[in-house]
Amino acid sequence: MSGRPPYEKGVHEVADRVFAYLQPDGSWGWSNAGLVRPNGNGGALLVDTLFDLKLTQEMLDAFAAVTGHIGTVVNTHANGDHCWGNQLVGDARIVASKECAEEIGAPPPETLAALVEEAPAMGVLGEFLARIFGPFDFGGITLRKPDETFEGTLTLTVDGTQVELVEVGPAHTRGDILVHVPASRVVFTGDILFVGGHPIVWAGPIGNWVSALDRILAMDVDTVVPGHGPVVGKDAVNDERDYLLWLEREAKVRFDAGLAALDAARDMIDEYRHWGERERLVVNVAAVYRELDPDRPPSFVDLFSQMAELAREP
Ligand SMILES: [Zn+2]
């Protein structure tokens, strides 16, 4: 079978023996995962774990209904909503890019837990942090790092089915990879693709991210499982590519005119008002500014404070 499943929470078979696990609404922390099931009795391959232990266990229980043992886990990148459930996968070996493995735990779950706890005393920033991270439980998380890393590409075999890992970072983060299942014409993009909301450029450069989208467009696939949002085809990849080129062009105009990143984002925000998580635009503008002026990188706290401001503006 093949096709686009409805955007509903849970396991969906998107091709023969290939599954997506979706978590609407795809906003902050509500990430997708995937699974490639073996033909015979080998171990399955899981693409990503989730943001906290409860959500990850719920997903593993749901996948247990369609497959047996999970032999391999691939982390698409280092953001917590794609790897903080790693400790629950038992004896599976965990594979990621070398850069991803190094970035896991920056920031650590304890930092997010503390921010949520201190949020009531943090004003506008606190309200924002409580809204985006409050739904998750960061207690009990012990970071489990990948057992095996690679650079470039790596082909894994799941009981005869080839799964190709393609490193495309730095883009969203330092070590992003795509997980391509050629025989099924499916690709899991991790957070190289967001659907329905603004992507967020933590690392950049933008040019690398555009190249990553070009890699997807060049693949012979008809099913694209994004890191956040519904299962789509290549149209959505083109839409995000247009967004990144627009971002790079329009941010540079405002950089040259001497606008601060937050004012530039305010000035640009109407263009994509139909996409969620609009506050991310200020991080994205800041990423372009950083490319143009590497000597003045914004701090993490500055970026979250500016997002909090942008999120509350009408
Ligand atoms: Zn994510």
Side-chain angles (χ1 to χ4, degrees):
M1 70 148 276
S2 173
R4 313 272 161 74
Y7 191 34
E8 291 166 6
K9 182 181 174 174
V11 174
H12 301 272
E13 189 166 19
V14 295
D16 186 31
R17 297 185 299 107
V18 180
F19 301 82
Y21 186 83
L22 305 179
Q23 293 196 106
D25 59 359
S27 63
W28 290 100
W30 298 106
S31 50
N32 298 328
L35 184 112
V36 181
R37 192 178 71 188
N39 249 322
N41 296 320
L45 179 144
L46 177 69
V47 181
D48 281 341
T49 59
L50 304 177
F51 212 176
D52 69 19
L53 301 183
K54 179 174 163 285
L55 292 172
T56 300
Q57 191 58 55
E58 202 178 337
M59 172 179 76
L60 293 174
D61 292 346
F63 274 142
V66 299
T67 194
H69 179 241
I70 291 172
T72 305
V73 176
V74 172
N75 290 135
T76 58
H77 63 289
N79 283 169
D81 53 334
H82 300 263
C83 63
W84 282 3
N86 279 1
Q87 75 201 69
L88 296 180
V89 300
D91 62 357
R93 71 169 167 155
I94 302 180
V95 182
S97 72
K98 182 169 168 281
E99 288 290 332
C100 167
E102 282 172 12
E103 197 179 11
I104 282 178
E110 296 77 21
T111 300
L112 258 57
L115 283 174
V116 172
E117 197 150 304
E118 292 156 20
M122 292 169 75
V124 172
L125 173 59
E127 278 172 40
F128 178 64
L129 293 172
R131 176 164 69 77
I132 66 171
F133 296 133
F136 307 99
D137 179 1
F138 302 116
I141 297 172
T142 308
L143 291 180
R144 184 174 159 199
K145 291 251 187 180
D147 306 295
E148 192 181 323
T149 64
F150 72 99
E151 292 175 274
T153 59
L154 178 69
T155 302
L156 302 175
T157 305
V158 182
D159 201 21
T161 299
Q162 291 206 334
V163 178
E164 291 173 358
L165 311 184
V166 183
E167 186 179 21
V168 292
H172 167 66
T173 61
R174 281 166 50 193
D176 307 292
I177 66 169
L178 307 171
V179 182
H180 182 203
V181 192
S184 306
R185 307 183 71 221
V186 175
V187 62
F188 296 93
T189 68
D191 285 0
I192 287 299
L193 184 67
F194 287 78
V195 177
H198 286 246
I200 186 161
V201 187
W202 289 124
I206 309 289
N208 258 6
W209 196 326
V210 172
S211 299
L213 296 174
D214 286 338
R215 298 278 293 257
I216 300 171
L217 291 169
M219 288 174 176
D220 180 22
V221 295
D222 51 17
T223 304
V224 180
V225 182
H228 296 256
V231 176
V232 289
K234 285 184 180 176
D235 284 0
V237 180
N238 268 311
D239 289 345
E240 194 184 78
R241 190 179 187 282
D242 288 345
Y243 171 96
L244 292 172
L245 294 176
W246 164 82
L247 165 72
E248 193 173 42
R249 186 178 65 239
E250 296 297 323
K252 183 175 187 311
V253 168
R254 288 159 180 84
F255 176 87
D256 290 342
L259 258 67
L262 181 57
D263 290 330
R266 282 188 179 117
D267 201 34
M268 292 165 63
I269 207 158
D270 254 8
E271 185 77 17
Y272 280 88
R273 61 185 170 277
H274 52 298
W275 284 15
E277 292 77 63
R278 61 188 172 146
E279 62 274 12
R280 292 174 179 166
L281 186 55
V282 69
V283 176
N284 299 344
V285 169
V288 177
Y289 276 36
R290 196 165 62 234
E291 286 184 46
L292 297 167
D293 183 4
D295 294 336
R296 289 192 306 164
S299 78
F300 201 64
V301 175
D302 283 349
L303 291 175
F304 270 92
S305 299
Q306 293 180 358
M307 280 198 283
E309 274 196 50
L310 207 51
R312 72 202 283 260
E313 288 173 11

